[in-house]
Amino acid sequence: MTDPTRPQTRPHDVLVIGAGGAGLRAAIEARAAGASVGLVCKSLLGKAHTVMAEGGVAAALAHVAPSDDWRTHFRDTMVGGKFLNNPRMAELHAVEAPKRVRELEEWGAVFDRTADGRILQRPFGGHSHPRLAHVGDRTGLEMIRTLQDRAVSMGIDVYMECTITRLITSRDGVTGAFGYWRTTGRPIVFPAKAVILATGGIGKAYEVTSNSWEYSGDGQALAYAAGAELIDMEFVQFHPTGMVWPPGVRGLLVTEAVRGEGGILRNATGARFMWMYLPEERRGEYAATDEEAARWVTALSQGKETDARRPPELSTRDNVSRAIYTEVKEGRGSPHGGVFLDISYLPADHIRRKLPSMYEQFKELADVDITKGPMEVGPTTHYVMGGIRVDADSQATTVAGLYAAGEVAGGMHGANRLGGNSLSDLLVFGARAGAAAAASATDRASEPYVDPVQVQSAARELAAPLERSHGEDPYAIQRDLQSTMQRLVGIFREEGDLDQAIREIAELRRRWADARVIGGRAFNPGWNLVFELGNLLTISEAVARSARQRTESRGAHSRIDHPATDDGTWGGRNSVVARGPDGAMRVYTTPLPAMRSELEELVAADHAAAAAVGSKA
Ligand SMILES: Cc1cc2nc3c(=O)[nH]c(=O)nc-3n(C[C@H](O)[C@H](O)[C@H](O)COP(=O)(O)OP(=O)(O)OC[C@H]3O[C@@H](n4cnc5c(N)ncnc54)[C@H](O)[C@@H]3O)c2cc1C
């Protein structure tokens, strides 16, 4: 019988960790360049977060609004990100997204269509034009199905239900990874000439989240431990609309497509409160009256162009989340602590066709028919804008041999991500990471050196929670961590709370170091959680410390004690987190990469307006 503690070894030129949109797209590109590729995921292939994406993929195809192009997409992304985006990434993203979406179509993705048979595009918050290619509200499913079919047909080796717990390093940088099979607990070592992290986000650090168990910040923590820098970790996106009732589904996403299709937000008094929360400098982009907003919705549902401006509900996510939070806090919330989102004024068959998953989700889970009445919604932790620092063109991290793409990487979205810009980010930068990693693997002629001491230490770390005779249940520690983050590092933050969070996280880490798990290695969810929890603790500390450092409000980061945007001190500066030589977390700032002059011209007016308003706030 095989010894379940003896590591297997599987070498590859390029190892991709994560099989969502970014990982699959990277694997396809690396394989197409001739590299042998291993693709690892900790759940089943096809079960990543990408499959959950509902609203669509943003790309300036200009099928619905002929005046759209990469420049307007670039500008919207920078404005939405409050000018903290890496401008080169935002440029590459805007320029290349249309090509990547068309390529997906060539590979078999069937998008919703315009009357003349082209890919249909829907509006979303913060996008000045209807821009999201979509498949009803199941876009991610179509995307992952298409990428997966392609990857499998190219002969990529897939390792499912396999968790990576450590990156292996040498003087040459990253040379592989160590992990274990979740089914048997057996360790596995992947020597690799290049490693791409595509492990997604961190939502499980919070109590209320749209994210699944997979989002435990593994990639960010693996990179951090290997010496990479993380940037802008304070920018955690709270999506304005998650379910608030019943308790078992609290946080589950209510796609922005509901607002994109004309959903109206109202408080308990029936007031359409978003009129009061539009930022002054952008008010001119939104409808001035209910009547103008209604004309916009009618034109949209008929697929016609209109001079009406978009409804106030399509403000950026950070703004809508703060508005809902404030309405509830000031006593104008719905019975279960949210607000009402209503689309039932549109024809029932139109709603069922455009939002089939939402229709079923509310019917099944909350016994609410959204064609007949409003939904109750409230903010939910959804996405992390911060992540591993990467080079815009290659997605190389600050550690040789290590690349990152997708939600795990930082820079692209600045202080706030626009809806739809993640799926396009995965395609654009997944492809770039795959190409660059394959090229670097070709350059690295020698076989990667896998340090046996690091493998032994990783194997000991793996066994420890099962071998302790005393110690705490990891689930209790995770619950306490989520409570700390929700209470103290949520939508609104202040110094005292952040200091308290940092202290609580340190204490939780002390408890975690002694966590004990009962049972064996095979199919043991508590044992799996121990490693994910270690990552969540690292990432939570990074979020809290970065939030403590940034003494201003910008995008998704709102400081009660520093409500203004302070461009003088913080404009154009990334927060950075890295591991110091003593093992402690260091936090500092570095300047953003410079913007080339053509791009500067595209956003100069917006930048000046935002700075003027921000400093007065
Ligand atoms: C409900 C919901 C709806 C959304 N809707 C949209 C939308 O309409 N448009 C849009 O642009 N964005 C949307 N988003 C955001 C978007 O879906 C995600 O940001 C994106 O899919 C992330 O893709 P990814 O490839 O980076 O990560 P994922 O798709 O999450 O893939 C991560 C992969 O990493 C693996 N992994 C993680 N840790 C490890 C480890 N330690 N070892 C091995 N494998 C590991 C996982 O198993 C998984 O395969 C939505 C998100 C959610 C939650």
Side-chain angles (χ1 to χ4, degrees):
M1 205 175 118
T2 320
D3 175 1
T5 63
R6 196 170 57 81
Q8 288 174 298
T9 303
R10 294 288 182 274
H12 288 285
D13 292 335
V14 175
L15 181 73
V16 182
I17 307 173
L24 282 164
R25 190 62 192 81
I28 290 168
E29 201 70 13
R31 184 76 194 98
S36 82
V37 179
L39 179 64
V40 191
C41 52
K42 66 181 181 180
S43 60
L44 295 170
L45 189 60
K47 287 211 77 184
H49 272 78
T50 303
V51 82
M52 295 158 76
E54 295 162 346
V57 44
L61 296 160
H63 289 177
V64 173
S67 56
D68 197 12
D69 71 359
W70 75 264
R71 291 172 192 80
T72 41
H73 194 180
F74 169 79
R75 173 184 166 270
D76 291 346
T77 300
M78 295 298 293
V79 168
K82 309 294 185 262
F83 300 98
L84 209 67
N85 325 58
N86 177 321
R88 175 70 179 152
M89 287 180 89
E91 177 190 10
L92 289 171
H93 168 257
V95 170
E96 294 178 8
K99 182 172 168 209
R100 296 272 90 101
V101 170
R102 288 198 188 97
E103 174 184 75
L104 216 54
E105 191 185 33
E106 280 161 27
W107 293 350
V110 183
F111 290 100
D112 285 6
R113 301 268 144 198
T114 59
D116 61 354
R118 293 178 301 160
I119 295 174
L120 182 60
Q121 296 181 272
R122 67 161 43 120
F124 243 51
H127 289 280
S128 57
H129 296 73
R131 193 176 278 146
L132 269 69
H134 59 278
V135 185
D137 55 7
R138 294 171 183 160
T139 312
L141 176 63
E142 186 69 359
M143 183 159 150
I144 210 126
R145 185 192 62 71
T146 307
L147 291 172
Q148 205 171 281
D149 284 357
R150 180 110 190 149
V152 170
S153 72
M154 291 173 85
I156 289 161
D157 291 320
V158 180
Y159 303 86
M160 286 191 272
E161 297 193 276
C162 181
T163 296
I164 299 299
T165 58
R166 276 250 203 136
L167 295 177
I168 295 167
T169 54
S170 76
R171 275 204 315 264
D172 298 335
V174 170
T175 52
F178 173 96
Y180 69 98
W181 295 101
R182 296 170 80 93
T183 45
T184 61
R186 185 171 180 196
I188 180 163
V189 178
F190 296 98
K193 294 179 180 171
V195 172
I196 302 174
L197 290 167
T199 51
I202 65 159
K204 276 293 165 189
Y206 287 83
E207 250 166 22
V208 181
T209 178
S210 65
N211 296 173
S212 81
W213 63 269
E214 288 189 72
Y215 267 11
S216 47
D218 295 6
Q220 293 86 341
L222 288 167
Y224 171 82
E229 288 181 328
L230 308 180
I231 59 167
D232 299 337
M233 291 302 292
E234 66 273 39
F235 296 107
V236 176
Q237 181 165 79
F238 299 92
H239 192 292
T241 59
M243 289 180 80
V244 293
W245 185 261
V249 294
R250 190 155 177 233
L252 197 64
L253 194 75
V254 178
T255 174
E256 188 165 326
V258 177
R259 283 175 291 133
E261 296 292 339
I264 294 175
L265 286 165
R266 295 190 192 280
N267 64 19
T269 71
R272 189 174 190 175
F273 58 85
M274 277 312 299
W275 292 121
M276 295 187 312
Y277 292 92
L278 290 176
E280 270 318 309
E281 78 277 18
R282 310 230 77 88
R283 198 168 273 273
E285 294 173 11
Y286 295 90
T289 59
D290 282 346
E291 182 277 328
E292 186 181 353
R295 267 197 298 123
W296 182 94
V297 173
T298 306
L300 174 78
S301 64
Q302 295 171 350
K304 292 186 182 148
E305 283 230 63
T306 173
D307 60 356
R309 291 162 297 175
R310 58 187 191 273
E313 284 79 9
L314 289 180
S315 180
T316 50
R317 289 178 175 177
D318 54 339
N319 193 41
V320 183
S321 287
R322 278 191 295 269
I324 295 176
Y325 181 94
T326 307
E327 288 298 304
V328 174
K329 195 156 182 236
E330 293 181 358
R332 296 183 293 276
S334 63
H336 300 107
V339 293
F340 297 107
L341 175 61
D342 190 14
I343 190 129
S344 64
Y345 68 95
L346 291 176
D349 60 339
H350 178 79
I351 297 170
R352 279 194 293 266
R353 187 161 44 81
K354 297 305 286 186
L355 302 164
S357 299
M358 284 304 105
Y359 176 75
E360 278 165 30
Q361 182 171 311
F362 274 90
K363 200 100 181 103
E364 294 267 317
L365 303 175
D367 198 21
V368 168
D369 182 343
I370 67 168
T371 66
K372 298 205 169 105
M375 307 155 231
E376 266 187 88
V377 296
T380 180
T381 314
H382 185 57
Y383 185 89
V384 60
M385 273 70 71
I388 305 166
R389 191 203 279 279
V390 288
D391 168 68
D393 289 76
S394 66
Q395 299 294 106
T397 70
T398 45
V399 175
L402 185 63
Y403 298 77
E407 192 169 339
V408 76
M412 163 62 209
H413 306 284
N416 176 50
R417 173 177 73 89
L418 297 186
N421 269 1
S422 173
L423 292 189
S424 37
D425 165 352
L426 312 181
L427 296 173
V428 168
F429 295 109
R432 284 185 162 267
S440 107
T442 312
D443 290 347
R444 272 192 179 189
S446 61
E447 288 309 308
Y449 171 69
V450 173
D451 176 8
V453 176
Q454 289 179 46
V455 173
Q456 282 155 16
S457 144
R460 272 199 305 277
E461 201 172 72
L462 202 61
L466 295 168
E467 291 170 354
R468 287 189 190 109
S469 54
H470 301 287
E472 210 178 330
D473 172 13
Y475 285 99
I477 307 171
Q478 187 189 34
R479 271 196 303 276
D480 289 351
L481 174 64
Q482 289 171 335
S483 156
T484 296
M485 293 301 283
Q486 193 77 33
R487 271 184 296 116
L488 304 173
V489 199
I491 296 183
F492 286 101
R493 297 142 177 203
E494 61 185 326
E495 187 175 298
D497 284 352
L498 295 168
D499 284 337
Q500 176 66 16
I502 293 165
R503 282 192 295 273
E504 289 186 15
I505 293 166
E507 171 58 15
L508 288 162
R509 181 171 284 288
R510 199 194 53 67
R511 286 165 55 190
W512 169 80
D514 288 331
R516 177 193 180 214
V517 177
I518 296 168
R521 286 174 175 245
F523 296 106
N524 188 336
W527 187 49
N528 297 329
L529 178 64
V530 175
F531 311 108
E532 291 164 349
L533 187 53
N535 297 331
L536 282 173
L537 284 163
T538 301
I539 290 321
S540 298
E541 183 181 347
V543 173
R545 286 193 186 278
S546 304
R548 166 79 168 74
Q549 175 182 240
R550 187 174 285 274
T551 48
E552 67 157 355
S553 293
R554 182 182 295 267
H557 172 63
S558 300
R559 287 280 299 253
I560 293 170
D561 45 354
H562 297 279
T565 299
D566 178 0
D567 262 327
T569 312
W570 293 103
R573 293 204 77 81
N574 292 121
S575 318
V576 188
V577 164
R579 196 157 185 258
D582 57 353
M585 191 173 277
R586 289 193 306 131
V587 191
Y588 48 98
T589 69
T590 54
L592 265 176
M595 201 184 309
R596 61 187 185 85
S597 55
E598 189 199 345
L599 302 179
E600 189 74 70
E601 281 162 29
L602 288 174
V603 292
D606 299 292
H607 207 166
V613 171
S615 60
K616 279 190 246 131

